[in-house]
Short mmCIF file of all heavy atoms in Angstrom, two decimals:
data_model
loop_
_atom_site.label_atom_id
_atom_site.label_comp_id
_atom_site.label_asym_id
_atom_site.label_seq_id
_atom_site.Cartn_x
_atom_site.Cartn_y
_atom_site.Cartn_z
N MET R 22 -20.08 -1.86 -0.81
CA MET R 22 -21.47 -1.89 -0.73
C MET R 22 -22.02 -3.01 -1.56
O MET R 22 -21.72 -3.20 -2.79
CB MET R 22 -22.10 -0.65 -1.25
CG MET R 22 -23.62 -0.33 -0.85
SD MET R 22 -23.69 0.32 0.75
CE MET R 22 -25.37 0.86 0.74
N VAL R 25 -25.17 -4.77 -5.90
CA VAL R 25 -25.14 -5.15 -7.31
C VAL R 25 -26.57 -5.46 -7.66
O VAL R 25 -27.13 -5.18 -8.77
CB VAL R 25 -24.13 -6.33 -7.57
CG1 VAL R 25 -24.18 -6.91 -9.01
CG2 VAL R 25 -22.68 -5.74 -7.41
N PRO R 47 -29.34 -9.93 -16.85
CA PRO R 47 -28.76 -9.40 -15.59
C PRO R 47 -27.20 -9.28 -15.71
O PRO R 47 -26.63 -8.42 -15.28
CB PRO R 47 -29.20 -10.35 -14.49
CG PRO R 47 -30.61 -10.81 -14.95
CD PRO R 47 -30.48 -11.01 -16.46
N MET R 53 -22.03 -2.59 -16.56
CA MET R 53 -22.00 -1.13 -16.57
C MET R 53 -21.69 -0.72 -15.20
O MET R 53 -21.34 0.56 -14.94
CB MET R 53 -23.17 -0.45 -17.10
CG MET R 53 -24.46 -0.76 -16.16
SD MET R 53 -25.45 0.77 -15.73
CE MET R 53 -24.27 2.05 -15.37
N ASP R 87 -36.19 5.33 -4.22
CA ASP R 87 -37.43 5.21 -3.47
C ASP R 87 -38.30 3.85 -3.70
O ASP R 87 -38.96 3.42 -2.87
CB ASP R 87 -38.38 6.41 -3.94
CG ASP R 87 -37.69 7.68 -3.64
OD1 ASP R 87 -37.34 7.88 -2.49
OD2 ASP R 87 -37.87 8.72 -4.39
N HIS R 93 -29.93 -3.34 0.10
CA HIS R 93 -28.53 -3.08 -0.15
C HIS R 93 -27.84 -2.58 1.10
O HIS R 93 -28.51 -1.70 1.90
CB HIS R 93 -28.28 -2.07 -1.26
CG HIS R 93 -28.87 -0.67 -1.01
ND1 HIS R 93 -28.06 0.44 -1.34
CD2 HIS R 93 -30.05 -0.19 -0.58
CE1 HIS R 93 -28.82 1.48 -1.03
NE2 HIS R 93 -30.01 1.03 -0.65
N GLY R 98 -18.30 -7.29 7.37
CA GLY R 98 -16.95 -7.04 7.81
C GLY R 98 -16.37 -5.69 7.15
O GLY R 98 -15.25 -5.31 7.56
N ASP R 101 -15.72 -2.90 10.13
CA ASP R 101 -14.60 -3.13 10.89
C ASP R 101 -13.30 -3.11 10.17
O ASP R 101 -12.18 -2.60 10.63
CB ASP R 101 -14.74 -4.62 11.38
CG ASP R 101 -15.80 -4.76 12.49
OD1 ASP R 101 -16.22 -3.71 13.06
OD2 ASP R 101 -16.18 -5.91 12.75
N VAL R 113 -4.74 6.51 4.99
CA VAL R 113 -5.68 7.47 4.60
C VAL R 113 -6.62 6.72 3.62
O VAL R 113 -6.09 6.06 2.75
CB VAL R 113 -4.93 8.67 3.88
CG1 VAL R 113 -5.96 9.66 3.37
CG2 VAL R 113 -3.95 9.32 4.86
N ALA R 117 -13.31 6.48 -4.91
CA ALA R 117 -13.33 6.82 -6.43
C ALA R 117 -14.65 5.92 -6.96
O ALA R 117 -14.44 4.74 -7.24
CB ALA R 117 -12.10 6.56 -7.20
N ARG R 127 -25.63 10.17 -0.11
CA ARG R 127 -26.64 9.39 0.48
C ARG R 127 -26.31 8.14 1.12
O ARG R 127 -26.62 7.60 2.13
CB ARG R 127 -27.84 9.37 -0.49
CG ARG R 127 -29.16 8.66 0.01
CD ARG R 127 -30.13 8.22 -0.94
NE ARG R 127 -30.44 9.39 -1.86
CZ ARG R 127 -30.04 9.46 -3.23
NH1 ARG R 127 -29.43 8.53 -3.82
NH2 ARG R 127 -30.44 10.50 -3.88
N ALA R 128 -25.57 7.33 0.21
CA ALA R 128 -25.06 5.99 0.66
C ALA R 128 -24.22 6.03 1.92
O ALA R 128 -24.18 5.24 2.86
CB ALA R 128 -24.32 5.38 -0.50
N GLU R 131 -26.40 6.77 4.94
CA GLU R 131 -27.15 5.55 5.24
C GLU R 131 -26.32 4.57 6.06
O GLU R 131 -26.83 3.83 6.90
CB GLU R 131 -27.74 4.91 4.01
CG GLU R 131 -28.94 5.76 3.46
CD GLU R 131 -29.27 5.13 2.10
OE1 GLU R 131 -28.66 4.18 1.50
OE2 GLU R 131 -30.33 5.55 1.53
N SER R 134 -20.78 6.26 7.26
CA SER R 134 -19.39 5.84 7.10
C SER R 134 -18.58 7.18 6.54
O SER R 134 -17.42 7.02 6.13
CB SER R 134 -19.34 4.88 5.86
OG SER R 134 -20.04 5.26 4.72
N PHE R 137 -14.86 7.84 7.85
CA PHE R 137 -13.71 6.94 7.41
C PHE R 137 -12.81 7.55 6.39
O PHE R 137 -11.62 7.25 6.23
CB PHE R 137 -14.24 5.56 6.98
CG PHE R 137 -14.75 4.77 8.02
CD1 PHE R 137 -16.01 4.23 8.08
CD2 PHE R 137 -13.99 4.40 9.14
CE1 PHE R 137 -16.53 3.28 8.85
CE2 PHE R 137 -14.38 3.54 10.09
CZ PHE R 137 -15.73 3.04 10.02
N PHE R 138 -13.38 8.42 5.53
CA PHE R 138 -12.84 8.80 4.25
C PHE R 138 -12.32 10.29 4.41
O PHE R 138 -13.01 11.23 4.57
CB PHE R 138 -13.76 8.55 3.08
CG PHE R 138 -14.29 7.15 3.00
CD1 PHE R 138 -15.62 6.85 3.38
CD2 PHE R 138 -13.38 6.17 2.61
CE1 PHE R 138 -16.06 5.47 3.30
CE2 PHE R 138 -13.93 4.82 2.49
CZ PHE R 138 -15.13 4.50 2.80
N LEU R 163 -4.97 15.36 -1.43
CA LEU R 163 -4.38 14.77 -0.29
C LEU R 163 -2.80 14.82 -0.21
O LEU R 163 -2.14 14.44 0.89
CB LEU R 163 -4.71 13.20 -0.05
CG LEU R 163 -6.24 12.93 -0.06
CD1 LEU R 163 -6.58 11.48 -0.13
CD2 LEU R 163 -6.79 13.50 1.40
N HIS R 198 -16.85 -8.84 -11.18
CA HIS R 198 -16.06 -9.59 -11.91
C HIS R 198 -15.21 -10.56 -11.12
O HIS R 198 -14.97 -10.37 -9.94
CB HIS R 198 -15.06 -8.58 -12.72
CG HIS R 198 -15.81 -7.91 -13.77
ND1 HIS R 198 -15.43 -6.66 -14.32
CD2 HIS R 198 -16.78 -8.38 -14.80
CE1 HIS R 198 -16.15 -6.31 -15.38
NE2 HIS R 198 -17.00 -7.24 -15.60
#
Side-chain angles (χ1 to χ4, degrees):
M22 197 83 169
V25 172
M53 68 133 313
D87 301 315
H93 64 132
D101 288 344
V113 178
R127 182 188 306 113
E131 291 171 350
S134 58
F137 288 122
F138 302 105
L163 298 169
H198 286 146

